[in-house]
């Protein structure tokens, strides 16, 4: 039985045929749509490498059945840069060496984008660490990650103020 | 993962009818169920997807001050809801001490009530587990069981319930609203879960097809807002299940305890309400001696189920400290590390000369 669902992925409306109800958003993105920026780490909701935004909120795409997300708006790491310019969170990760091997990085960055939008960190490193605890980094780049999130949070707040 | 048929009913009544068929399971966010299915622990033939059902996503304040939360409300939505967290700050703290931000954004409150144990033998399909495969035995008994139950366990199962949220709900006497083929019924959360006995596979009072549609925090539970905390010891500071946790709530009048509420996590197959301790605290001055007495009473019937006698000592200390924190008052803002013993601690809570734990 093949069902079709509609998704908006990185701003682009897509109609996607689901031929197997077991397909997760992660597998859909990577295997069917060839958006391989989203990484499969544990595939069990423990590492955060597969973090994407669904309707603006960060979730583990490995634990989300595609069929349940008809109509959802999805943002992946491929959708962050605008007009060839990196997103402030991406820039901050580079500036602060927020990675080593890079495998967890798309998930870290998507999680950080979600965290900043949620607005509960208030520039506090302890809160950033707590709210980023769903993203594991086996290289141990946590210090740089925390600095990057704090800087990006401040920069985005300034930008929002200037725009207002 | 096994193959399954995915059904998408458009009303609660349709969902109940669909899920009454044998081999069915409800699917909400799937943060627990899909994990179990990927490991072959759960193998439902039919998933009844309730994520799009109307009418299950509201947080309402009722006319008597009670609050009603639809089963599909996300954990994060509830934790950050201003009206809810003002009335029930320990419930918000418990929610925010559980899982990760990503999981809290997806997981529903109904799903949280129905999450399965994290016993490693339950998860390992090569192990004997009476909960997963009734009658197969329990490899946790005599196995690596430092994380297992010290209260209410049986010769058939020593697993614990993993939820933080439900511990706080249990302390505050939440009511679970259930819809089934016979109509709607209300069950107090303290009666919602079963102890393992000789049927550990039966974890709740839900009949086949019955669905949790909402929960209510009754009007009398709003009297504890000023003095309530959730405290949770984990093996790492964040993103870990409780080793032992406690939700404590007090209604104080002139320094005396008019009413106390206390529940524990990580110690039994269900969130453990400590009613005897609550009764002992009524009318007492809110001080360490009274709280230590309550803690002793809470664990009076506790016994190790293996390598976990430490949980009894830890649990006593945790109860004492949770009650001291509650007596010190609900903080104006949640600490950066919700429910953590490493969070900022008000003066007088830690014994003289002691830092952190």
């Amino acid at each position: 039985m093949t069902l079709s669902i509609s998704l908006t992925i990185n701003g682009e409306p897509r109609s996607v045929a689901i031929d197997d109800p077991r397909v997760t958003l992660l597998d859909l993105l990577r295997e069917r749509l060839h958006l391989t920026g989203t990484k499969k780490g544990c595939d069990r909701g423990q590492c955060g490498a597969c973090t994407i935004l669904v309707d603006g909120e960060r979730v583990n795409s490995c634990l989300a059945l595609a069929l349940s997300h008809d109509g959802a708006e999805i943002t992946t790491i491929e959708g962050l840069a605008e007009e060839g310019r990196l997103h402030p969170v991406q820039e901050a990760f580079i500036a602060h060496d927020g990675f080593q091997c890079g495998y967890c990085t798309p998930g870290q960055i998507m999680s950080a984008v979600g965290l900043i939008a949620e607005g509960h960190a208030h520039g506090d490193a302890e809160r950033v660490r707590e709210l980023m605890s769903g993203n594991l980094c086996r290289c141990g780049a946590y210090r740089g990650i925390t600095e990057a999130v704090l800087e990006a949070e401040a920069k985005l707040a300034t930008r929002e103020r200037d725009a207002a | 993962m096994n193959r399954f048929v995915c059904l998408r009913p458009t009303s609660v009544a349709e969902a109940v009818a669909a899920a009454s068929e044998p081999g069915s399971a409800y699917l909400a966010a799937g943060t627990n169920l899909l994990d179990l299915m990927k490991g072959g622990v759960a193998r439902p033939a039919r998933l009844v997807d309730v994520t799009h059902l109307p009418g299950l996503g509201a947080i309402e304040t009722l006319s008597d001050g009670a609050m009603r939360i639809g089963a599909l409300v996300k954990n994060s939505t509830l934790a950050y809801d201003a009206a809810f967290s003002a009335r029930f700050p320990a419930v918000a703290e418990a929610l925010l001490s559980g899982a990760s931000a990503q999981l809290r954004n997806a997981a529903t409150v109904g799903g949280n009530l129905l999450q399965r144990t994290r016993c490693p033998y339950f998860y390992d399909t090569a192990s004997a587990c009476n909960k997963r495969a009734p009658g197969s035995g329990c490899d946790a008994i005599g196995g690596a069981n430092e994380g297992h139950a010290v209260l209410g366990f049986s010769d058939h199962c020593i697993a614990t319930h993993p939820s933080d949220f439900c511990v706080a709900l249990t302390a505050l006497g939440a009511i679970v609203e259930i819809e089934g083929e016979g109509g709607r019924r209300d069950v107090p959360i303290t009666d919602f879960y079963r102890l393992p006995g000789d049927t550990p596979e039966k974890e709740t009072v839900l009949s086949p097809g019955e669905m949790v549609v909402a929960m209510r925090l009754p009007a009398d539970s709003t009297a504890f807002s000023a003095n309530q905390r959730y405290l949770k010891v984990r093996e790492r500071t964040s993103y870990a299940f409780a080793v032992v946790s406690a939700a404590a709530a007090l209604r104080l009048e002139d320094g005396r305890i008019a009413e106390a509420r206390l529940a524990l996590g990580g110690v039994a197959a269900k969130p453990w309400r400590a009613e005897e301790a609550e009764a002992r605290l009524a009318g007492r001055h809110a001080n360490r001696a009274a709280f230590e007495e309550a803690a002793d009473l809470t664990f009076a019937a506790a016994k190790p189920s293996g390598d976990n006698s430490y949980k009894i000592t830890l649990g006593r200390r945790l109860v004492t400290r949770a009650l001291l924190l509650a007596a010190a008052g609900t903080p104006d803002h949640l600490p950066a590390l919700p429910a953590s013993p490493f969070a900022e601690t008000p003066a007088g809570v830690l014994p003289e000369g002691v830092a952190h734990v």
Side-chain angles (χ1 to χ4, degrees):
Chain A
M1 180 177 66
T2 300
L3 290 168
S4 179
I5 62 167
S6 301
L7 297 169
T8 302
I9 300 173
N10 298 328
E12 190 188 334
R14 306 279 292 254
S15 178
V16 191
I18 309 279
D19 55 2
D20 185 328
R22 296 175 295 183
V23 173
T24 59
L25 285 178
L26 174 61
D27 289 337
L28 182 78
L29 290 167
R30 290 184 55 85
E31 309 294 335
R32 317 281 166 117
L33 303 175
H34 309 295
L35 289 167
T36 53
T38 305
K39 301 302 182 211
K40 181 181 280 196
C42 68
D43 205 29
R44 303 292 287 269
Q46 296 177 8
C47 76
C50 69
T51 302
I52 60 170
L53 304 185
V54 174
D55 297 327
E57 300 212 314
R58 51 180 166 154
V59 300
N60 301 102
S61 61
C62 71
L63 291 182
L65 271 195
L67 268 184
S68 295
H69 289 83
D70 191 16
E73 192 169 307
I74 287 171
T75 309
T76 70
I77 190 75
E78 289 92 341
L80 282 191
E82 281 180 1
E83 293 161 16
R85 187 178 162 79
L86 291 179
H87 186 279
V89 175
Q90 291 172 308
E91 286 178 342
F93 267 69
I94 293 169
H96 290 276
D97 249 350
F99 49 84
Q100 186 175 313
C101 83
Y103 194 81
C104 72
T105 311
Q108 298 278 359
I109 288 174
M110 295 314 293
S111 190
V113 171
L115 177 156
I116 293 167
E118 287 157 16
H120 302 300
H122 310 299
D124 175 25
E126 188 85 297
R127 286 177 200 270
V128 168
R129 285 191 291 268
E130 164 63 28
L131 293 169
M132 288 293 289
S133 71
N135 292 83
L136 305 188
C137 169
R138 294 189 67 180
C139 300
Y142 294 112
R143 187 187 172 128
I145 291 168
T146 304
E147 288 171 358
V149 176
L150 286 167
E151 182 183 277
E153 186 196 22
K155 193 179 274 184
L156 283 163
T158 309
R159 191 190 276 188
E160 210 166 278
R161 254 200 317 276
D162 293 348
Chain B
M1 198 191 294
N2 63 291
R3 289 190 171 272
F4 56 84
V5 175
C6 191
L7 303 168
R8 308 196 66 202
T10 55
S11 69
V12 171
E14 262 182 58
V16 167
S20 298
E21 297 289 322
S24 302
Y26 283 116
L27 172 74
T31 51
N32 190 198
L33 182 59
L34 287 188
D35 185 31
L36 292 168
M37 289 172 70
K38 286 182 180 194
V41 180
R43 304 179 62 84
R46 294 149 53 91
L47 286 191
V48 180
D49 180 356
V50 297
T51 44
H52 293 268
L53 288 187
L56 302 178
I59 302 171
E60 305 162 79
T61 304
L62 306 179
S63 56
D64 62 355
M67 288 194 83
R68 182 173 186 273
I69 302 116
L72 292 181
V73 171
K74 307 291 189 193
N75 282 216
S76 54
T77 306
L78 185 61
Y80 292 118
D81 182 87
F84 182 83
S85 61
R87 281 187 182 78
F88 307 109
V91 184
E93 187 166 23
L95 279 167
L96 293 174
S97 76
S100 66
Q102 288 97 315
L103 288 166
R104 293 191 294 268
N105 280 345
T108 64
V109 299
N112 193 315
L113 254 73
L114 292 171
Q115 66 182 300
R116 311 296 302 278
T117 184
R118 294 283 162 169
C119 172
Y121 297 99
F122 174 71
Y123 263 77
D124 173 21
T125 54
S127 295
C129 172
N130 288 322
K131 192 185 275 297
R132 174 170 33 76
S136 64
C138 173
D139 278 347
I141 295 173
N145 50 23
E146 68 281 355
H148 288 74
V150 295
L151 286 162
F153 61 89
S154 74
D155 292 341
H156 300 269
C157 183
I158 60 172
T160 60
H161 194 269
S163 175
D164 296 299
F165 177 49
C166 297
V167 175
L169 290 180
T170 297
L172 292 169
I175 309 288
V176 184
E177 294 184 17
I178 298 166
E179 184 130 333
E181 288 194 301
R184 189 164 292 210
R185 62 180 178 131
D186 284 353
V187 176
I189 194 167
T190 41
D191 299 333
F192 180 74
Y193 296 104
R194 296 168 187 264
L195 287 175
D198 55 7
T199 54
E201 74 281 9
K202 291 185 180 150
E203 295 171 356
T204 69
V205 299
L206 291 176
S207 304
E210 277 194 318
M211 180 179 169
V212 172
V213 293
M215 72 200 64
R216 289 198 312 277
L217 281 151
D220 67 350
S221 67
T222 61
F224 298 87
S225 311
N227 294 91
Q228 60 179 266
R229 288 304 293 272
Y230 184 70
L231 186 62
K232 171 180 176 184
V233 171
R234 291 157 265 197
E235 288 190 342
R236 60 183 180 192
T237 305
S238 180
Y239 199 13
F241 291 97
V243 174
V244 181
S245 69
L250 300 170
R251 188 159 63 76
L252 297 176
E253 283 172 6
D254 305 323
R256 280 184 190 268
I257 301 163
E259 197 179 354
R261 299 286 183 87
L262 180 64
L264 288 97
V267 297
K270 64 178 193 176
W272 192 265
R273 180 88 180 255
E275 279 167 340
E276 279 180 59
E278 292 175 2
R280 180 71 64 92
L281 286 170
R284 303 281 299 275
H285 283 289
N287 58 34
R288 185 180 295 273
F291 296 151
E292 285 178 346
E293 211 178 295
D296 286 345
L297 200 55
T298 302
F299 285 93
K303 53 181 196 286
S305 59
D307 299 329
N308 57 2
S309 53
Y310 76 95
K311 277 196 177 185
I312 300 170
T313 310
L314 180 63
R316 282 195 189 107
R317 291 177 183 169
L318 197 76
V319 163
T320 305
R321 184 144 152 198
L323 286 163
L324 283 164
L325 284 169
T330 302
D332 293 337
H333 300 286
L334 272 186
L337 303 174
S340 171
F342 300 105
E344 291 158 46
T345 306
V349 169
L350 297 178
E352 204 70 23
V354 172
H356 290 312
V357 276

